[in-house]
Amino acid sequence: MSRRALDRLAERFGPDVLETQSHLGDESVTVRRPALRSVLQFCRDDPQLHMHLLLDVVGVDYPGRPQRFDVVYILRSLSTRERVRVKVQVAEGEAVPSVSDLWYSANWAEREVYDLFGVRFDGHPDLRRILCHHEFQGHALRKDYPIERGQMCYTVEHLLSDAEIAHGRELVGSAAQGDAAEIKSDFLSVNIGPSHPATHGALRIEALLDGETIVHSKAEIGYLHRCFEKEAEDHTWTQIIPYTDRLNYVSALTNNVAYVLAVEKLLGIDVPERARVIRVIVAEMGRIMDHLVCVGANLVDIGALTNFWYFWNARERLYGVVERLCGIRLTTNYTRIGGLYRDLYEGFEQDLRDALEHVERAIQDVTGLVQRNRIFFDRTVGVGVVSAQDALDWGFTGPCLRACGVDYDVRKAFPYSGYEQYEFDIPVGENGDAYDRVLVRIEEMHQSIGILRQALGRLPDGPIQSADRRVAMPSKDEVYNSIEGMMNHFKLVFEGIQVPAGEGYGFTEGANGELGFFIVSDGSGRPYRIKVRPPCFPIFSAYTKMIQGQMLADAVAILGGLNIIAGELDR
C-alpha cells in the first residue's frame, strides 16, 4: 500500500497533521481535533482519495495520557483500494464533531463510542446509549471499569418520544394533504420484537403505525450483551478464539479464520500452505451454511415454508462434516494462531463432495419454487429498495451491498489465504430490493461450491501449524524430555502468545460482509484493545429508514433478507 493518501493529506492540511504512519498495509494519520471534520470530509470528497466507506469508528482508552482517548475512523475507497485510518486524540470532557451527516454509518458508530467510552460527538442528532441499557452507570470499555462489575437495569426504554410521534403525524399529514392538513387517522405505537420469531432473536423495533403503514420507527439492537470486547482484554490471544464462534454462531468457522488472520498480521506470521487451503475450505463451508439459514428463514417469514426444509436438510449434511472435523457442530474453535487445531479426518474430501451435491440439489429445488413465483415477486420485488450510494453511505458490505449493484468483495479486492488463485465471480443485483438480496445469496452459494471443489483439488500435503515457536506448541516429546520445550509450553499457556506492540486492522469477507478486527497490542500476552467490525451492525442501522412508508408485513420480509445476527450485532 503506497503512502499516496498520507502525502495528499499532509500536503492539504499541513500543521493539522500531527503524525503519519504506514504499517502492515494500512495508512494512519493523526490530526488535530479542530481539523478532524475537515480532514474526514476531504477524504470523502477529494477525487484522488474518494473514501466511499466509513467502515467503523473505534474508541481506545489510554488513562495515563493527558489526551486520554483515541477516536479512530476506518475509511475505505472502492475505486482506488486505499485504506486509511484517521485518528484524533481527545481529553476527558472534550468532544469531537459528529460526521453522521457525511456518512450515515457514523450515526450508530459514534453512539457506540459515546456509550462505551463517554466521548461526546457535537452535532450528533441522537446521541444516546446503544449497546448498554439506558440506565447503565459508567462506560464499560474504559480501563478503569472493572470487568466483574455487574449492574441490574429494569426499566424498559420508550424509543419513540411524544415529540417524534407528533412529528410522524406531521409527516403523514404533509404527504397526504399539505402542510396545514388536519390529521384524522389514529396512530398506534407498537413493538416489533424482541420475542416475536420474525425478529430472529433479541431485536426490538418500536414502530408508529398509520393503519398497517409504518410512519416512523426506532430500533434497539438487542439484549444479548455478550461483552466480547471487554472479555477479550482479560484473556490470552488464543483464549479469544472460542468467543469469535459466538459472534456469528451461524458461520462460526468463518469468524475463526477472520480473527486469527488479524492476529497473524500483527505477528508477521505465514501459515503453511495446507492450513491456508483448509481455511478457505472451512470459511466457504461457513458462508454456504450461513446463506442457507438466511434464505431459508427469510422465505419462511413470507410464508414459503417448504424451502426452509430443503435448505435445512442440506445444512445438516454440512454440519455432519463439521461435527466430524471439529468434534462439535455450532461453535467450532477450529483455527489456531499460526494454523489449525487439527488436520482433516480421513474421508473428509469425499464427505464434503457428497454434502455439496445435496446443497446443489436443494438450491435447484428452492430456485425452481421461488425464482418466478408470483407471491414471492409480490412480497420482495421493489420492497426495501436501497440505492448503491445510500448503501455505501450506510456502510453496507457483503451480499446487501452487492444486491445494490456494487461488486465489492474483500476476497477479490484484498485477497487473503490465497483467494487470488481461485476462479469465482461476484454476483451483483440491480435494484437493491428484498428480491435481489435473496437471489444474490443463492448465486453466492454456487460460487462457494466452485471454490470448495477447486480447494479440494489443490489440497497439498504438509503441516497445518506454523513452526514459529512464538505461536506453536512444542511436541509432547519435546515437552517431556527437554527443559526448553517444557518452558516454551508453559509460557504459551500461562503467559499467552506475545504479540508485538502496535495496532492493525485485519479483515475478511464474512458471510454478511466485511468482518474486521481492529487490534491494539501492548506487547503482552493479552490484547490491549480489540474492536470487532461486525458487518450487520451498519446494515441494521439502516433498517428503520428502509421500512419507513412500508407495510408492516414488508418490514418482516426486509429484516429477514438483511440477515441480522444478534451475537455480532450486540457483541
Side-chain angles (χ1 to χ4, degrees), residues 247-528:
L247 287 171
N248 186 341
Y249 30 74
V250 187
S251 52
L253 285 163
T254 310
N255 282 50
N256 281 179
V257 172
Y259 168 71
V260 296
L261 284 171
V263 180
E264 289 162 2
K265 181 178 179 178
L266 267 69
L267 283 160
I269 285 179
D270 291 324
V271 302
E273 182 61 22
R274 181 174 176 85
R276 283 159 54 92
V277 175
I278 294 175
R279 286 181 176 182
V280 169
I281 290 172
V282 297
E284 294 306 314
M285 288 173 63
R287 191 182 320 279
I288 293 172
M289 291 187 291
D290 197 294
H291 286 355
L292 289 171
V293 173
C294 171
V295 176
N298 193 191
L299 294 173
V300 167
D301 291 342
I302 57 180
L305 177 61
T306 303
N307 308 278
F308 179 82
W309 300 126
Y310 282 132
F311 274 177
W312 202 261
N313 288 335
R315 175 177 175 265
E316 282 299 301
R317 292 300 295 254
L318 285 172
Y319 264 125
V321 179
V322 171
E323 187 172 15
R324 290 195 65 187
L325 176 63
C326 305
I328 196 168
R329 291 162 55 85
L330 191 65
T331 50
T332 52
N333 189 25
Y334 181 62
T335 59
R336 293 293 181 271
I337 297 167
L340 304 166
Y341 148 61
R342 60 177 293 188
D343 207 340
L344 303 178
Y345 63 85
E346 185 176 352
F348 172 87
E349 293 91 332
Q350 189 57 50
D351 284 353
L352 180 54
R353 292 183 193 278
D354 292 343
L356 293 180
E357 290 180 3
H358 282 269
V359 173
E360 284 183 313
R361 286 198 294 270
I363 295 173
Q364 183 179 8
D365 289 335
V366 170
T367 304
L369 285 171
V370 304
Q371 191 170 16
R372 292 178 173 82
N373 183 287
R374 182 72 258 167
I375 299 174
F376 179 62
F377 269 41
D378 291 343
R379 294 299 311 274
T380 59
V381 173
V383 174
V385 175
V386 180
S387 69
Q389 184 57 56
D390 281 349
L392 292 170
D393 283 346
W394 284 110
F396 280 27
T397 54
C400 289
L401 177 62
R402 294 189 283 272
C404 302
V406 181
D407 63 345
Y408 173 66
D409 187 309
V410 174
R411 295 170 296 173
K412 288 281 192 181
F414 305 98
Y416 56 93
S417 297
Y419 269 108
E420 67 276 9
Q421 303 170 27
Y422 296 86
E423 294 291 334
F424 65 99
D425 296 323
I426 304 175
V428 294
E430 296 179 353
N431 304 306
D433 57 9
Y435 179 86
D436 281 358
R437 287 189 281 273
V438 169
L439 269 294
V440 162
R441 282 189 170 90
I442 287 177
E443 181 55 34
E444 284 190 6
M445 287 191 281
H446 284 299
Q447 298 301 320
S448 290
I449 290 170
I451 293 172
L452 285 168
R453 288 181 172 142
Q454 293 175 62
L456 290 173
R458 69 173 60 192
L459 188 63
D461 295 328
I464 58 156
Q465 180 66 37
S466 169
D468 193 317
R469 297 181 73 89
R470 293 178 298 165
V471 300
M473 285 287 193
S475 67
K476 291 299 182 183
D477 182 67
E478 190 179 355
V479 172
Y480 293 150
N481 294 291
S482 74
I483 186 64
E484 294 83 5
M486 183 184 69
M487 290 304 299
N488 189 198
H489 182 278
F490 179 89
K491 291 175 73 67
L492 284 174
V493 171
F494 284 89
E495 296 180 3
I497 294 169
Q498 307 295 298
V499 175
E503 64 181 39
Y505 177 67
F507 56 102
T508 59
E509 183 68 30
N512 289 327
E514 181 165 323
L515 172 63
F517 291 90
F518 178 77
I519 297 176
V520 181
S521 173
D522 58 3
S524 70
R526 288 172 168 77
Y528 187 82

Side-chain angles (χ1 to χ4, degrees), residues 23-38:
H23 183 53
L24 301 174
D26 293 316
E27 298 176 347
S28 176
V29 56
T30 303
V31 302
R32 298 184 188 276
R33 187 166 53 90
L36 174 65
R37 181 180 169 86
S38 297

Side-chain angles (χ1 to χ4, degrees), residues 228-245:
F228 168 81
E229 293 169 13
K230 190 73 171 180
E231 289 287 346
E233 297 175 9
D234 197 49
H235 291 74
T236 67
W237 298 92
T238 301
Q239 288 172 333
I240 293 167
I241 296 173
Y243 288 116
T244 67
D245 292 328

Side-chain angles (χ1 to χ4, degrees), residues 60-70 143 503 520 528:
V60 186
D61 183 19
Y62 297 98
R65 202 178 67 182
Q67 301 289 98
R68 176 171 180 172
F69 304 103
D70 274 357
K143 291 295 183 180
E503 64 181 39
V520 181
Y528 187 82

